[in-house]
Amino acid sequence: MLAFRTLKFRKIGFIATFVAMFLGAAIVMACGGLMETGVRMAAPPQRLAGVPIVVTGQQTYDSTALTERNRIDSGVVDAVKAVPGVARAITDLSFPATVLTGGKPVSTGSAGHNWTSSGLTPYTLTQGAAPVGTGQVVLDATLAADSGASVGSGVDLAVHGATRKFTVAGIARQDADRTTQPAVFFSDAEAQQLAGSGGRFDSVGVLPTPGVDVPELGRSVESAVSGKAMVLTGERRGLADLPGTLSSQRTVTILAAIFGSWAVLIVMFGVASTLGLSLQQRAHEMALLRAIGTTSRQVRRMILGETAVLSVLATALAVAPGYVVGKLLFDQLTGNGVVSKAITFHEGWIPITVGAFAAIAAALGATLFAGRKAARTKPVAALAESTVQTRWFTLTRLLLALFFLVNGVTLSVITATVMTDGPTLASTAGPASVLFAIGLALLAPGITKAVVVALSWPVRLLTGLSGYMAIRNATTNNVRMAGAVAPIVLLIGIATGTLYMQSTEDHVSAKSYSSNVLADYVLDSSTGGFGPNVVGTVRAVPGVAGASELVTSKGFVDASGGSTDMDLRGVSADGAGQTIALDSLTGSIGELQGDTVALSDKQAEKFGVRIGDSLKIHFGDGVAAAPKVVALYADNPKQEYLLLPSTVLAAHTTAGLPKQILVRAQAGADSGQLQAHLDTVAASVPGTRIADRSTLTSENSQIQQILVSSNYTIVAMIVGYAAITVINTLVAVTRKRRSEFGLQRLTGATRAQVIGMLSVEGALVAVIATVLGTIAAATTIVPYSLVKADSPLPSGSIGIYLAIIGGALALIFGATLFPSWRGMRTPPIETARTPA
């Protein structure tokens, strides 16, 4: 009862605590929603919605997601058909097929399928008949309308790198309105030939016999194809139509884990510090309660009761905003292409529970600690201590500080000495500054006092009476000043470490890519890829020094210690040397034909191979190979990949063809004439776009920025929470001092002198927080830059650091001077006798 009665008298403190818990719980829930989404990777079916069970190729190798489509052979189809309860097994093949009008694509992203697969959506013929032979197609109604095609008319299609004319045998429409790619259907035999699948299929849709239990049938099908394929049901069926999508699962879960762990630490610190400050400011009230006979148990129960009310209310109200924030973050990932838009966002009870637990645990921990101290203090001593709080050092605080500092340094050392350049580098570098900043914040009272003593003489000399008053306050109330320093240390440490970590990544990536690619132009295909003769046509253009097809994928190198993820690049042997930087070449890149591979000298040493040896690999579609090593080149640790013949690698990609051609101009060639010749070639190949070197570099930068923008969004959210904690803390501290300001003015201090005193105090807070925050940021920046750029200094403008410090200064002085100025509009006699 006492807890409820006191809430209305401590509005500012309780509002600050409520905001910290509410926003903190929402942020943790949002990051938890990202994690759950990454783990579930639910993709409701669109084109495959007509069947309850889908069997598709295994999408992982050695527990790592494949990036290309892994097809299944006819034996798997036969095994599925033989399962009791299967009424029909519908095979599916997909491949790029683009309808053309006037030599230009009608719709990019359209796909060709075998006619049998029309039953998966399902599609129904509205005009004409099914395709039964070579040269016949059925168009979906949208494509037919856009191209002006009708039954019996001819239609041009860009398929498998060539333009061919087909006859429209029929037009089909989906039975339900779903978001699917525009579809072109071929006869089953012709679809097999155009897809180059060698008798294999993308997936098999299972229609059960009426009355059969679908979950039970799914288990039976899974048992029948165990180890040969994966069975998808429910909301995961759509993954069968999204080859390579599971590879983004790792990105989402790593992102959610890194930022989620940051969020939990920061939220717990923010809630604990805000609530601890609120309880500090009520020391006089608790002292009076103890003096009039209130027992220790009653004080503890009152504090816990107040915290319980706030915790339940704040976390309950945070559920809906947490979902909204999580959905916004996920939309950033899908909008930037990090995750397919077909994946759905999920935030169930687990993220909600974790978010609520983080906020409540921090609040209860701070309450128990502060409440225990208040309850155990003797009444007379409590009244004396409540005037000015100077005691801060405890064994528990020291042990916690050492725990965070040691772990921060440990992560920093691990980053610099153990971790290698890769996507997990940030998982150790990033949290180092967070942990170290929390450790410094716990020791802030002692550090603050030492710095104030060291700066007292120059501050008094430079700022006169205002400085004298500020130094006196800072010396006697170092705990109060440390409460303002702590959240700013966290803000500067996180923002500086994260932003410079990202700017270093951007700089290294751009520089490495620019030095590795020698091409002056690139041809891009939007119709599925280039046929085998296009690169030869490009080489014949006057002014071209060399041209190479380029295929990009990801695969695995099988070494004695296990498999290693590796970027794969497919190139043309005749043009690779002119378009890609291959320094200190040993062997011959011209021999890169057939079952061969080239790799860097350090990679060869790592995998224990030499020229003439076989290197065991798995392609992105899971197919194993052992190509012969024909060339070694100087290692570039920022661009590590294997070089394979483009025709070989393309056959193991979802597209099946090279989608880019790199072009190097001859020295002194007329760029205008060369561009005109290349434009002529592009015009003869539908869906071809030409870009120069600057565009090529810019596009690589845009690819790099895809994940960057998502990172910045999440970091901005966390930094924003830290900023709100700073504002909460400073405003609460300033409002608590209204009576102090009134007494100062009654004893002769002018309003300008009081404001001057606060300005000097703010400057001291800024200096201390900036130094400590910069030290904390260094635990992230230095090791990360050493690994990425072989330098302890980060890449990026000094303006980033100045902007962060400027923002911190704006928060410090804005949250201190503005409420003080407003408070001093009240006559000092009133503020002097009215406690905050």
Side-chain angles (χ1 to χ4, degrees):
M1 182 61 69
L2 186 59
F4 285 99
R5 289 179 177 177
T6 60
L7 282 176
K8 63 181 178 179
F9 297 109
R10 298 292 173 186
K11 294 179 182 177
I12 298 299
F14 287 124
I15 288 174
T17 306
F18 173 82
V19 169
M21 283 194 282
F22 170 73
L23 294 178
I27 290 172
V28 175
M29 290 174 189
C31 291
L34 279 185
M35 175 64 78
E36 182 179 351
T37 301
V39 171
R40 294 177 65 162
M41 288 300 283
Q46 299 294 332
R47 198 175 62 83
L48 307 175
V51 290
I53 302 170
V54 177
V55 181
T56 191
Q58 291 285 0
Q59 295 299 306
T60 59
Y61 170 71
D62 197 17
S63 301
T64 303
L66 300 176
T67 58
E68 312 291 349
R69 183 182 290 283
N70 180 16
R71 290 189 164 114
I72 55 178
D73 58 37
S74 57
V76 173
V77 180
D78 293 337
V80 172
K81 289 179 178 178
V83 174
V86 173
R88 187 182 174 197
I90 305 172
T91 57
D92 176 48
L93 266 177
S94 298
F95 51 92
T98 306
V99 176
L100 307 172
T101 57
K104 297 184 180 300
V106 171
S107 174
T108 58
S110 58
H113 307 280
N114 57 317
W115 173 244
T116 298
S117 69
S118 64
L120 295 170
T121 309
Y123 277 88
T124 301
L125 275 171
T126 57
Q127 299 179 47
V132 293
T134 302
Q136 292 187 350
V137 295
V138 169
L139 301 180
D140 75 12
T142 302
L143 273 180
D146 291 344
S147 63
S150 58
V151 174
S153 67
V155 63
D156 290 332
L157 286 173
V159 57
H160 205 63
T163 300
R164 294 176 51 184
K165 185 172 286 293
F166 291 82
T167 301
V168 178
I171 295 174
R173 185 181 298 276
Q174 296 182 42
D175 288 1
D177 186 20
R178 296 189 177 93
T179 304
T180 60
Q181 286 181 307
V184 181
F185 294 100
F186 301 81
S187 67
D188 285 16
E190 188 161 27
Q192 283 278 359
Q193 182 222 341
L194 294 173
S197 62
R200 296 179 299 157
F201 298 93
D202 293 353
S203 55
V204 179
V206 178
L207 281 175
T209 302
V212 170
D213 182 69
V214 173
E216 181 62 32
L217 179 60
R219 288 188 285 271
S220 299
V221 171
E222 190 166 9
S223 176
V225 300
S226 177
K228 300 177 183 177
M230 65 186 298
V231 178
L232 303 172
T233 58
E235 61 182 5
R236 288 176 59 86
R237 284 173 291 164
L239 291 175
D241 216 22
L242 301 167
T245 297
L246 279 181
S247 62
S248 63
Q249 182 177 42
R250 183 183 181 189
T251 302
V252 177
T253 51
I254 288 177
L255 197 67
I258 292 174
F259 290 115
S261 61
W262 292 15
V264 169
L265 285 172
I266 294 163
V267 165
M268 294 187 74
F269 175 81
V271 171
S273 63
T274 304
L275 186 57
L277 177 64
S278 175
L279 292 174
Q280 271 181 31
Q281 294 179 341
R282 298 176 59 194
H284 188 74
E285 171 194 334
M286 295 179 191
L288 286 174
L289 288 173
R290 294 282 286 120
I292 62 174
T294 307
T295 65
S296 300
R297 184 179 179 184
Q298 287 174 322
V299 171
R300 283 197 300 268
R301 287 179 60 187
M302 178 192 74
I303 298 171
L304 285 173
E306 293 170 352
T307 304
V309 172
L310 284 174
S311 298
V312 172
L313 182 61
T315 53
L317 292 177
V319 174
Y323 180 88
V324 172
V325 173
K327 185 66 168 61
L328 288 174
L329 293 176
F330 185 69
D331 288 345
Q332 276 284 315
L333 296 177
T334 57
N336 290 315
V338 178
V339 185
S340 169
K341 292 183 178 180
I343 303 299
T344 55
F345 177 74
H346 282 279
E347 185 175 304
W349 65 270
I350 294 179
I352 293 173
T353 303
V354 171
F357 176 80
I360 293 173
L364 292 179
T367 301
L368 289 172
F369 181 78
R372 179 173 174 268
K373 180 182 177 182
R376 291 180 60 183
T377 305
K378 293 181 179 180
V380 175
L383 282 170
E385 288 182 9
S386 68
T387 305
V388 176
Q389 183 179 2
T390 56
R391 295 179 57 188
W392 66 274
F393 185 83
T394 63
L395 180 60
T396 302
R397 191 182 191 116
L398 177 63
L399 292 176
L400 282 174
L402 290 175
F403 171 80
F404 284 109
L405 290 173
V406 169
N407 278 280
V409 171
T410 301
L411 286 179
S412 187
V413 172
I414 289 173
T415 302
T417 59
V418 178
M419 299 297 291
T420 57
D421 190 359
T424 58
L425 183 62
S427 66
T428 55
S433 60
V434 179
L435 293 171
F436 203 81
I438 293 175
L440 290 175
L442 288 169
L443 298 177
I447 297 172
T448 298
K449 187 169 186 177
V451 174
V452 168
V453 170
L455 295 178
S456 59
W457 182 81
V459 169
R460 289 174 181 174
L461 181 65
L462 295 173
T463 57
L465 180 60
S466 295
Y468 175 80
M469 295 167 64
I471 290 295
R472 290 286 296 174
N473 273 328
T475 303
T476 57
N477 290 284
N478 61 298
V479 176
R480 182 179 66 195
M481 178 172 278
V485 168
I488 304 168
V489 172
L490 199 64
L491 173 64
I492 293 174
I494 295 172
T496 304
T498 305
L499 293 181
Y500 273 113
M501 190 166 61
Q502 190 62 65
S503 67
T504 300
E505 171 71 28
D506 294 347
H507 174 77
V508 170
S509 175
K511 182 180 178 181
S512 179
Y513 184 84
S514 179
S515 63
N516 185 250
V517 176
L518 304 177
D520 299 301
Y521 300 91
V522 61
L523 277 66
D524 279 297
S525 172
S526 62
T527 55
F530 294 106
N533 299 323
V534 178
V535 68
T537 303
V538 173
R539 288 196 192 109
V541 169
V544 171
S548 170
E549 296 173 328
L550 179 63
V551 181
T552 57
S553 184
K554 289 183 179 292
F556 311 89
V557 175
D558 301 316
S560 56
S563 64
T564 302
D565 298 6
M566 185 64 63
D567 286 343
L568 307 178
R569 291 189 183 179
V571 295
S572 307
D574 294 338
Q578 291 81 30
T579 55
I580 297 177
L582 301 172
D583 299 327
S584 304
L585 187 67
T586 304
S588 173
I589 203 69
E591 296 181 21
L592 195 66
Q593 300 181 32
D595 196 17
T596 58
V597 66
L599 66 163
S600 75
D601 48 10
K602 288 190 177 179
Q603 287 175 331
E605 181 180 350
K606 176 182 177 181
F607 300 129
V609 295
R610 298 177 297 177
I611 292 178
D613 293 344
S614 294
L615 180 67
K616 294 182 179 180
I617 67 171
H618 274 76
F619 290 105
D621 62 353
V623 175
K628 176 183 175 182
V629 178
V630 295
L632 302 177
Y633 47 85
D635 184 69
N636 180 354
K638 311 307 175 188
Q639 291 280 325
E640 293 190 333
Y641 51 82
L642 303 183
L643 286 179
L644 297 151
S646 57
T647 52
V648 173
L649 182 58
H652 296 280
T653 63
T654 302
L657 291 172
K659 300 184 76 172
Q660 289 185 313
I661 296 177
L662 301 179
V663 183
R664 177 79 179 276
Q666 292 177 353
D670 186 291
S671 59
Q673 290 184 5
L674 180 55
Q675 179 76 54
H677 289 310
L678 291 175
D679 287 341
T680 302
V681 173
S684 66
V685 183
T688 299
R689 182 179 68 93
I690 298 178
D692 59 18
R693 180 176 177 79
S694 62
T695 305
L696 186 65
T697 306
S698 174
E699 287 180 348
N700 175 72
S701 178
Q702 289 175 6
I703 293 171
Q704 179 67 24
Q705 292 301 315
I706 284 176
L707 194 55
V708 171
S709 60
S710 303
N711 287 347
Y712 282 157
T713 301
I714 299 175
V715 170
M717 177 183 69
I718 295 175
V719 170
Y721 177 77
I724 290 172
T725 303
V726 170
I727 294 171
N728 272 347
T729 302
L730 293 174
V731 170
V733 168
T734 304
R735 287 183 61 87
K736 179 65 178 177
R737 298 175 64 187
R738 286 183 303 172
S739 58
E740 173 192 332
F741 301 153
L743 286 173
Q744 288 174 338
R745 292 177 65 195
L746 287 174
T747 55
T750 66
R751 182 183 299 182
Q753 287 173 329
V754 175
I755 292 294
M757 176 195 71
L758 290 171
S759 299
V760 175
E761 289 182 9
L764 287 172
V765 169
V767 169
I768 298 169
T770 298
V771 172
L772 297 183
T774 303
I775 293 172
T779 60
T780 285
I781 295 171
V782 172
Y784 190 85
S785 298
L786 283 171
V787 175
K788 276 287 181 183
D790 298 322
S791 169
L793 297 177
S795 303
S797 169
I798 187 65
I800 297 174
Y801 182 69
L802 295 178
I804 294 168
I805 301 305
L809 289 175
L811 289 175
I812 292 169
F813 289 108
T816 302
L817 299 182
F818 181 70
S820 301
W821 173 77
R822 288 195 61 188
M824 281 188 283
R825 292 188 302 178
T826 305
I829 189 65
E830 294 185 20
T831 57
R833 67 186 182 190
T834 305

